[in-house]
Amino acid sequence: MIMNAASQSSPPVLPPCWQEALARAGFAANGDGQFHQGNISFRLDGRWVQLGTVTEPAPPEVIRDLGRPGLWKHVAEGQAGRRVFEFPASAVAAEEAVPDEVETTPITPGAFLTWALTSAKDGIVPGWQPPPRKLVESWLSPGELTVQAGPIVRQGELILRPGRWAVRFLILPAVPADLPFQRRDWLRAVLSDAQTLWRLVRLGFVSEGENLAVAAEVDFSGSPASEHLFLAGVHGVRHVVATLAETVELLADASLASQALKLPPSSRTPTERNQAT
Amino acid sequence: MIMDTETLLPPARTSSGNHGNGFHFEAADITGTHLIDARDVQRGTPAGAVAQALAARMDLPQNVPWALRDDRTGNYLDEQRAIGDQVESGESPRLTLVPKAHLGAG
């Protein structure tokens, strides 16, 4: 399960390879298990590497990251928010354990840090190209880009073109143009919660021809060609799509009368709601 | 019981690229009891997954494998292949949902 979780009480010891890579990238330790470079922090949070910006004081519009290169996304923290970039630490360990037989960028902690820092400014590592489609497709099991959850089925798209590598699903193909604003607020709230709760996956609205659609994506643009990371992203977005599809479809069904959905959604984050119950 | 449904599937996307816009078809179960108007179907979706989703939408048993038959040609759709590669979208195609039953042992 790849939900965002609360921090552990004692920070794990950082492997030497990470310490060296962080030092080379200009990060300095601050003694609480975190490293900082400018306004970006780094920590090993259990099985996940997390980079994050400092908290922004203004309430964020969380779902505004689709199409940007890399894993950075906004998450809500109380009434504020920040940007995070997370990936499984095992992606580095796994790739180091198995020598890469394909001619791709070496997968080292430094490569991941370079990716994270470059994409923090919406940039792509100079000279980066996505891995060959044939290679990426060989990592997928048959049907792995198809999500069928009860009466709903969604087909994912593997985006591989110069400068972009991503997996994207349309959760809802067309938001009705006349959907009441309250329902749109509920859609935004559900998508914002999901983006905050689930690692790697970004959600939001995209234009699909004449339609406004709801999409979920994981963007690997600029990433080392890591099968482990790619599959973590695919599994994450599949889970989010399977979990959200029926809810999103219901919220977008204007013919469904609901007094409850005429009320504004809670402005509290999922963590705050859990603490209140 | 004749059922009309909401959008079943979103516009076309596949693992190998965009096949164009989604398409629309009618689907019925083999008894003709349920009739579904499926719109904005993603052409790249494997026919087998579409069949299972339609069965769920019709409240048909989910522990049964389902297949789709093109009423125009009589052909059963290959469950592994994209539905949009097997059904022509121009003439309001109609598909029938059929349980994959096998007679006899083995």
Side-chain angles (χ1 to χ4, degrees), chain A residues 133 137 145-146 148 150-158 168 170 172-173 208 249 253 255, chain B residues 6-11 13-16 40 42 44-46 49-50 52-53 56-57 62:
Chain A
R133 177 174 291 275
E137 288 184 338
L145 289 181
T146 305
Q148 192 243 320
I152 290 175
V153 60
R154 300 289 187 257
Q155 182 65 32
E157 177 188 14
L158 177 57
R168 192 179 78 151
L170 293 184
L172 184 72
E208 277 292 309
E249 193 171 272
D253 183 355
S255 68
Chain B
E6 299 302 312
T7 299
L8 181 70
L9 307 158
R13 296 281 167 181
T14 72
S15 62
S16 57
D40 292 329
Q42 282 178 288
T45 312
V50 176
Q52 290 303 130
R57 184 79 68 166
Q62 289 294 284

Side-chain angles (χ1 to χ4, degrees), chain A residues 18-219:
Chain A
W18 273 113
Q19 294 189 33
E20 292 164 12
L22 286 164
R24 280 199 300 272
F27 282 82
N30 68 354
D32 64 355
Q34 292 202 14
F35 291 73
H36 288 270
Q37 189 236 52
N39 71 334
I40 294 178
S41 64
F42 171 99
R43 71 177 178 188
L44 191 57
D45 185 5
R47 292 176 298 166
W48 290 82
V49 174
Q50 185 186 82
L51 292 95
T53 61
V54 296
T55 302
E56 299 169 4
E61 171 66 36
V62 168
I63 47 171
R64 51 178 163 155
D65 300 308
L66 291 183
R68 290 179 167 174
L71 299 174
W72 286 100
K73 65 175 182 177
H74 287 82
V75 296
E77 286 193 353
Q79 293 304 306
R82 66 191 189 113
R83 295 175 72 206
V84 297
F85 181 109
E86 300 168 297
F87 59 91
S90 52
V92 175
E95 300 295 347
E96 283 188 331
V98 181
D100 191 6
E101 296 176 357
V102 183
E103 293 179 14
T104 54
T105 308
I107 298 169
T108 61
F112 278 98
L113 285 178
T114 300
W115 174 36
L117 295 175
T118 306
S119 59
K121 300 170 185 169
D122 286 339
I124 295 280
V125 178
W128 178 87
Q129 287 299 323
R133 177 174 291 275
K134 194 172 180 181
L135 172 66
V136 177
E137 288 184 338
S138 74
W139 296 338
L140 291 166
S141 304
E144 203 154 14
L145 289 181
T146 305
V147 173
Q148 192 243 320
I152 290 175
V153 60
R154 300 289 187 257
Q155 182 65 32
E157 177 188 14
L158 177 57
I159 301 170
L160 279 165
R161 60 173 183 253
R164 184 122 200 261
W165 175 20
V167 172
R168 192 179 78 151
F169 282 80
L170 293 184
I171 298 179
L172 184 72
V175 179
D178 58 350
L179 191 69
F181 72 91
Q182 298 100 327
R183 292 292 184 90
R184 289 176 186 265
D185 286 347
W186 275 100
L187 270 180
R188 275 192 205 92
V190 166
L191 299 180
S192 297
D193 274 8
Q195 180 160 305
T196 297
L197 276 171
W198 301 98
R199 298 188 197 266
L200 297 171
V201 181
R202 307 190 296 211
L203 297 125
F205 298 94
V206 293
S207 293
E208 277 292 309
E210 298 175 353
N211 296 325
L212 187 67
V214 174
E217 73 171 19
V218 179
D219 193 299

Side-chain angles (χ1 to χ4, degrees), chain B residues 19-80:
Chain B
H19 278 211
N21 294 324
F23 72 114
H24 155 261
F25 61 85
E26 280 188 356
D29 70 331
I30 198 164
T31 67
T33 308
H34 304 85
L35 179 64
I36 279 183
D37 183 20
R39 283 169 280 149
D40 292 329
V41 176
Q42 282 178 288
R43 293 175 180 276
T45 312
V50 176
Q52 290 303 130
L54 286 168
R57 184 79 68 166
M58 294 178 184
D59 285 332
L60 296 172
Q62 289 294 284
N63 58 351
V64 173
W66 296 92
L68 286 168
R69 189 185 65 208
D70 187 337
D71 287 4
R72 188 177 64 82
T73 62
N75 291 336
Y76 282 86
L77 306 191
D78 182 339
E79 64 181 3
Q80 304 286 342

